[in-house]
PDB file of all heavy atoms in Angstrom:
ATOM      1  N   SER A 142     -40.062  11.047   7.070  1.00 36.00           N
ATOM      2  CA  SER A 142     -38.671  11.081   6.624  1.00 36.00           C
ATOM      3  C   SER A 142     -38.538  11.975   5.404  1.00 36.00           C
ATOM      4  O   SER A 142     -37.616  12.759   5.303  1.00 36.00           O
ATOM      5  CB  SER A 142     -38.191   9.685   6.264  1.00 36.00           C
ATOM      6  OG  SER A 142     -38.423   8.821   7.324  1.00 36.00           O
ATOM      7  N   ALA A 143     -39.509  11.850   4.479  1.00 34.00           N
ATOM      8  CA  ALA A 143     -39.422  12.629   3.251  1.00 34.00           C
ATOM      9  C   ALA A 143     -39.551  14.117   3.539  1.00 34.00           C
ATOM     10  O   ALA A 143     -38.815  14.939   2.996  1.00 34.00           O
ATOM     11  CB  ALA A 143     -40.491  12.185   2.277  1.00 34.00           C
ATOM     12  N   SER A 144     -40.472  14.497   4.452  1.00 33.00           N
ATOM     13  CA  SER A 144     -40.625  15.923   4.692  1.00 33.00           C
ATOM     14  C   SER A 144     -39.469  16.464   5.508  1.00 33.00           C
ATOM     15  O   SER A 144     -39.005  17.568   5.289  1.00 33.00           O
ATOM     16  CB  SER A 144     -41.974  16.228   5.336  1.00 33.00           C
ATOM     17  OG  SER A 144     -42.063  15.511   6.518  1.00 33.00           O
ATOM     18  N   ALA A 145     -38.938  15.629   6.413  1.00 33.00           N
ATOM     19  CA  ALA A 145     -37.752  16.066   7.156  1.00 33.00           C
ATOM     20  C   ALA A 145     -36.631  16.303   6.166  1.00 33.00           C
ATOM     21  O   ALA A 145     -35.882  17.262   6.255  1.00 33.00           O
ATOM     22  CB  ALA A 145     -37.342  14.997   8.149  1.00 33.00           C
ATOM     23  N   ALA A 146     -36.563  15.411   5.174  1.00 35.00           N
ATOM     24  CA  ALA A 146     -35.512  15.542   4.171  1.00 35.00           C
ATOM     25  C   ALA A 146     -35.647  16.848   3.412  1.00 35.00           C
ATOM     26  O   ALA A 146     -34.666  17.558   3.188  1.00 35.00           O
ATOM     27  CB  ALA A 146     -35.592  14.382   3.197  1.00 35.00           C
ATOM     28  N   ALA A 147     -36.885  17.167   3.038  1.00 33.00           N
ATOM     29  CA  ALA A 147     -37.101  18.365   2.239  1.00 33.00           C
ATOM     30  C   ALA A 147     -36.686  19.620   2.999  1.00 33.00           C
ATOM     31  O   ALA A 147     -36.209  20.596   2.420  1.00 33.00           O
ATOM     32  CB  ALA A 147     -38.556  18.444   1.848  1.00 33.00           C
ATOM     33  N   SER A 148     -36.866  19.593   4.343  1.00 32.00           N
ATOM     34  CA  SER A 148     -36.549  20.804   5.082  1.00 32.00           C
ATOM     35  C   SER A 148     -35.105  20.822   5.578  1.00 32.00           C
ATOM     36  O   SER A 148     -34.684  21.748   6.213  1.00 32.00           O
ATOM     37  CB  SER A 148     -37.503  20.925   6.273  1.00 32.00           C
ATOM     38  OG  SER A 148     -37.281  19.826   7.121  1.00 32.00           O
ATOM     39  N   ASP A 149     -34.360  19.781   5.288  1.00 35.00           N
ATOM     40  CA  ASP A 149     -32.984  19.719   5.759  1.00 35.00           C
ATOM     41  C   ASP A 149     -32.039  20.049   4.611  1.00 35.00           C
ATOM     42  O   ASP A 149     -31.867  19.270   3.684  1.00 35.00           O
ATOM     43  CB  ASP A 149     -32.710  18.294   6.287  1.00 35.00           C
ATOM     44  CG  ASP A 149     -31.281  18.131   6.750  1.00 35.00           C
ATOM     45  OD1 ASP A 149     -30.476  19.064   6.537  1.00 35.00           O
ATOM     46  OD2 ASP A 149     -30.968  17.078   7.311  1.00 35.00           O
ATOM     47  N   PRO A 150     -31.430  21.232   4.630  1.00 31.00           N
ATOM     48  CA  PRO A 150     -30.626  21.647   3.492  1.00 31.00           C
ATOM     49  C   PRO A 150     -29.368  20.809   3.289  1.00 31.00           C
ATOM     50  O   PRO A 150     -28.773  20.827   2.237  1.00 31.00           O
ATOM     51  CB  PRO A 150     -30.243  23.089   3.827  1.00 31.00           C
ATOM     52  CG  PRO A 150     -30.340  23.172   5.317  1.00 31.00           C
ATOM     53  CD  PRO A 150     -31.383  22.185   5.724  1.00 31.00           C
ATOM     54  N   THR A 151     -28.975  20.060   4.320  1.00 32.00           N
ATOM     55  CA  THR A 151     -27.714  19.327   4.172  1.00 32.00           C
ATOM     56  C   THR A 151     -27.913  17.969   3.531  1.00 32.00           C
ATOM     57  O   THR A 151     -26.964  17.321   3.170  1.00 32.00           O
ATOM     58  CB  THR A 151     -27.061  19.083   5.543  1.00 32.00           C
ATOM     59  OG1 THR A 151     -27.956  18.321   6.334  1.00 32.00           O
ATOM     60  CG2 THR A 151     -26.688  20.364   6.232  1.00 32.00           C
ATOM     61  N   ASN A 152     -29.168  17.514   3.412  1.00 33.00           N
ATOM     62  CA  ASN A 152     -29.262  16.154   2.890  1.00 33.00           C
ATOM     63  C   ASN A 152     -29.675  16.124   1.424  1.00 33.00           C
ATOM     64  O   ASN A 152     -30.051  17.113   0.837  1.00 33.00           O
ATOM     65  CB  ASN A 152     -30.138  15.276   3.787  1.00 33.00           C
ATOM     66  CG  ASN A 152     -31.590  15.448   3.540  1.00 33.00           C
ATOM     67  OD1 ASN A 152     -31.997  15.584   2.409  1.00 33.00           O
ATOM     68  ND2 ASN A 152     -32.373  15.448   4.596  1.00 33.00           N
ATOM     69  N   GLN A 153     -29.522  14.924   0.857  1.00 39.00           N
ATOM     70  CA  GLN A 153     -29.717  14.794  -0.585  1.00 39.00           C
ATOM     71  C   GLN A 153     -30.835  13.828  -0.883  1.00 39.00           C
ATOM     72  O   GLN A 153     -30.830  13.179  -1.906  1.00 39.00           O
ATOM     73  CB  GLN A 153     -28.420  14.269  -1.211  1.00 39.00           C
ATOM     74  CG  GLN A 153     -27.225  15.126  -0.914  1.00 39.00           C
ATOM     75  CD  GLN A 153     -25.924  14.346  -1.054  1.00 39.00           C
ATOM     76  OE1 GLN A 153     -25.918  13.137  -1.224  1.00 39.00           O
ATOM     77  NE2 GLN A 153     -24.824  15.047  -0.970  1.00 39.00           N
ATOM     78  N   PHE A 154     -31.816  13.698   0.059  1.00 35.00           N
ATOM     79  CA  PHE A 154     -32.902  12.751  -0.172  1.00 35.00           C
ATOM     80  C   PHE A 154     -33.537  13.055  -1.507  1.00 35.00           C
ATOM     81  O   PHE A 154     -33.789  14.186  -1.850  1.00 35.00           O
ATOM     82  CB  PHE A 154     -34.005  12.907   0.883  1.00 35.00           C
ATOM     83  CG  PHE A 154     -33.674  12.343   2.232  1.00 35.00           C
ATOM     84  CD1 PHE A 154     -32.397  11.926   2.550  1.00 35.00           C
ATOM     85  CD2 PHE A 154     -34.668  12.243   3.179  1.00 35.00           C
ATOM     86  CE1 PHE A 154     -32.125  11.423   3.795  1.00 35.00           C
ATOM     87  CE2 PHE A 154     -34.392  11.739   4.429  1.00 35.00           C
ATOM     88  CZ  PHE A 154     -33.113  11.328   4.749  1.00 35.00           C
ATOM     89  N   CYS A 155     -33.833  12.009  -2.192  1.00 37.00           N
ATOM     90  CA  CYS A 155     -34.668  12.131  -3.367  1.00 37.00           C
ATOM     91  C   CYS A 155     -34.042  13.025  -4.425  1.00 37.00           C
ATOM     92  O   CYS A 155     -34.738  13.525  -5.280  1.00 37.00           O
ATOM     93  CB  CYS A 155     -36.028  12.697  -2.958  1.00 37.00           C
ATOM     94  SG  CYS A 155     -37.372  12.046  -3.922  1.00 37.00           S
ATOM     95  N   ASP A 156     -32.742  13.264  -4.336  1.00 41.00           N
ATOM     96  CA  ASP A 156     -32.117  14.080  -5.371  1.00 41.00           C
ATOM     97  C   ASP A 156     -31.681  13.170  -6.511  1.00 41.00           C
ATOM     98  O   ASP A 156     -32.059  12.015  -6.578  1.00 41.00           O
ATOM     99  CB  ASP A 156     -30.954  14.908  -4.805  1.00 41.00           C
ATOM    100  CG  ASP A 156     -29.741  14.054  -4.462  1.00 41.00           C
ATOM    101  OD1 ASP A 156     -29.825  12.816  -4.633  1.00 41.00           O
ATOM    102  OD2 ASP A 156     -28.739  14.626  -4.032  1.00 41.00           O
ATOM    103  N   ALA A 157     -30.929  13.728  -7.421  1.00 42.00           N
ATOM    104  CA  ALA A 157     -30.549  12.945  -8.588  1.00 42.00           C
ATOM    105  C   ALA A 157     -29.776  11.687  -8.209  1.00 42.00           C
ATOM    106  O   ALA A 157     -29.759  10.713  -8.932  1.00 42.00           O
ATOM    107  CB  ALA A 157     -29.693  13.802  -9.503  1.00 42.00           C
ATOM    108  N   ARG A 158     -29.142  11.714  -7.038  1.00 57.00           N
ATOM    109  CA  ARG A 158     -28.279  10.583  -6.693  1.00 57.00           C
ATOM    110  C   ARG A 158     -28.977   9.505  -5.880  1.00 57.00           C
ATOM    111  O   ARG A 158     -28.652   8.352  -5.961  1.00 57.00           O
ATOM    112  CB  ARG A 158     -27.066  11.081  -5.904  1.00 57.00           C
ATOM    113  CG  ARG A 158     -26.061  11.771  -6.786  1.00 57.00           C
ATOM    114  CD  ARG A 158     -24.840  12.090  -5.994  1.00 57.00           C
ATOM    115  NE  ARG A 158     -24.620  13.512  -5.947  1.00 57.00           N
ATOM    116  CZ  ARG A 158     -23.797  14.095  -5.098  1.00 57.00           C
ATOM    117  NH1 ARG A 158     -23.159  13.392  -4.209  1.00 57.00           N
ATOM    118  NH2 ARG A 158     -23.632  15.382  -5.128  1.00 57.00           N
ATOM    119  N   ILE A 159     -29.905   9.892  -5.010  1.00 58.00           N
ATOM    120  CA  ILE A 159     -30.548   8.877  -4.169  1.00 58.00           C
ATOM    121  C   ILE A 159     -32.025   8.795  -4.497  1.00 58.00           C
ATOM    122  O   ILE A 159     -32.798   9.670  -4.128  1.00 58.00           O
ATOM    123  CB  ILE A 159     -30.376   9.186  -2.661  1.00 58.00           C
ATOM    124  CG1 ILE A 159     -28.899   9.350  -2.304  1.00 58.00           C
ATOM    125  CG2 ILE A 159     -30.994   8.075  -1.831  1.00 58.00           C
ATOM    126  CD1 ILE A 159     -28.632   9.693  -0.858  1.00 58.00           C
ATOM    127  N   GLY A 160     -32.440   7.738  -5.200  1.00 56.00           N
ATOM    128  CA  GLY A 160     -33.857   7.510  -5.454  1.00 56.00           C
ATOM    129  C   GLY A 160     -34.501   7.006  -4.180  1.00 56.00           C
ATOM    130  O   GLY A 160     -33.854   6.349  -3.370  1.00 56.00           O
ATOM    131  N   TYR A 161     -35.767   7.309  -4.011  1.00 50.00           N
ATOM    132  CA  TYR A 161     -36.410   7.066  -2.742  1.00 50.00           C
ATOM    133  C   TYR A 161     -37.536   6.076  -2.954  1.00 50.00           C
ATOM    134  O   TYR A 161     -38.616   6.427  -3.394  1.00 50.00           O
ATOM    135  CB  TYR A 161     -36.951   8.417  -2.298  1.00 50.00           C
ATOM    136  CG  TYR A 161     -37.009   8.650  -0.824  1.00 50.00           C
ATOM    137  CD1 TYR A 161     -36.371   7.813   0.071  1.00 50.00           C
ATOM    138  CD2 TYR A 161     -37.703   9.753  -0.345  1.00 50.00           C
ATOM    139  CE1 TYR A 161     -36.431   8.069   1.417  1.00 50.00           C
ATOM    140  CE2 TYR A 161     -37.761  10.023   0.999  1.00 50.00           C
ATOM    141  CZ  TYR A 161     -37.119   9.166   1.873  1.00 50.00           C
ATOM    142  OH  TYR A 161     -37.183   9.434   3.195  1.00 50.00           O
ATOM    143  N   GLY A 162     -37.307   4.794  -2.670  1.00 46.00           N
ATOM    144  CA  GLY A 162     -38.318   3.783  -2.921  1.00 46.00           C
ATOM    145  C   GLY A 162     -39.615   4.065  -2.194  1.00 46.00           C
ATOM    146  O   GLY A 162     -39.590   4.559  -1.077  1.00 46.00           O
ATOM    147  N   ASP A 163     -40.728   3.767  -2.810  1.00 40.00           N
ATOM    148  CA  ASP A 163     -42.059   3.852  -2.194  1.00 40.00           C
ATOM    149  C   ASP A 163     -42.472   5.251  -1.778  1.00 40.00           C
ATOM    150  O   ASP A 163     -43.495   5.417  -1.144  1.00 40.00           O
ATOM    151  CB  ASP A 163     -42.152   2.953  -0.957  1.00 40.00           C
ATOM    152  CG  ASP A 163     -41.989   1.488  -1.315  1.00 40.00           C
ATOM    153  OD1 ASP A 163     -42.470   1.106  -2.382  1.00 40.00           O
ATOM    154  OD2 ASP A 163     -41.377   0.774  -0.529  1.00 40.00           O
ATOM    155  N   SER A 164     -41.689   6.254  -2.077  1.00 43.00           N
ATOM    156  CA  SER A 164     -42.074   7.569  -1.586  1.00 43.00           C
ATOM    157  C   SER A 164     -42.247   8.562  -2.716  1.00 43.00           C
ATOM    158  O   SER A 164     -42.296   9.749  -2.493  1.00 43.00           O
ATOM    159  CB  SER A 164     -41.034   8.075  -0.601  1.00 43.00           C
ATOM    160  OG  SER A 164     -39.862   8.378  -1.309  1.00 43.00           O
ATOM    161  N   GLY A 165     -42.342   8.056  -3.920  1.00 31.00           N
ATOM    162  CA  GLY A 165     -42.651   8.970  -5.016  1.00 31.00           C
ATOM    163  C   GLY A 165     -41.493   9.228  -5.956  1.00 31.00           C
ATOM    164  O   GLY A 165     -41.672   9.812  -7.001  1.00 31.00           O
ATOM    165  N   CYS A 166     -40.294   8.794  -5.596  1.00 32.00           N
ATOM    166  CA  CYS A 166     -39.169   9.007  -6.504  1.00 32.00           C
ATOM    167  C   CYS A 166     -39.038   7.882  -7.509  1.00 32.00           C
ATOM    168  O   CYS A 166     -38.189   7.918  -8.377  1.00 32.00           O
ATOM    169  CB  CYS A 166     -37.860   9.165  -5.739  1.00 32.00           C
ATOM    170  SG  CYS A 166     -37.858  10.689  -4.819  1.00 32.00           S
ATOM    171  N   GLY A 167     -39.868   6.868  -7.365  1.00 32.00           N
ATOM    172  CA  GLY A 167     -39.894   5.832  -8.393  1.00 32.00           C
ATOM    173  C   GLY A 167     -39.051   4.624  -8.056  1.00 32.00           C
ATOM    174  O   GLY A 167     -37.916   4.733  -7.654  1.00 32.00           O
ATOM    175  N   VAL A 168     -39.662   3.482  -8.201  1.00 37.00           N
ATOM    176  CA  VAL A 168     -38.944   2.221  -8.017  1.00 37.00           C
ATOM    177  C   VAL A 168     -39.047   1.486  -9.344  1.00 37.00           C
ATOM    178  O   VAL A 168     -40.127   1.349  -9.898  1.00 37.00           O
ATOM    179  CB  VAL A 168     -39.620   1.375  -6.919  1.00 37.00           C
ATOM    180  CG1 VAL A 168     -38.855   0.089  -6.710  1.00 37.00           C
ATOM    181  CG2 VAL A 168     -39.712   2.158  -5.623  1.00 37.00           C
ATOM    182  N   SER A 169     -37.914   1.039  -9.863  1.00 39.00           N
ATOM    183  CA  SER A 169     -37.951   0.354 -11.146  1.00 39.00           C
ATOM    184  C   SER A 169     -38.626  -1.011 -10.987  1.00 39.00           C
ATOM    185  O   SER A 169     -38.725  -1.527  -9.878  1.00 39.00           O
ATOM    186  CB  SER A 169     -36.524   0.145 -11.658  1.00 39.00           C
ATOM    187  OG  SER A 169     -35.879  -0.754 -10.787  1.00 39.00           O
TER     188      SER A 169
END
Side-chain angles (χ1 to χ4, degrees):
S142 307
S144 58
S148 63
D149 178 353
T151 60
N152 81 39
Q153 304 158 352
F154 285 10
C155 214
D156 72 358
R158 285 187 242 165
I159 305 178
Y161 211 12
D163 296 324
S164 70
C166 292
V168 181
S169 66

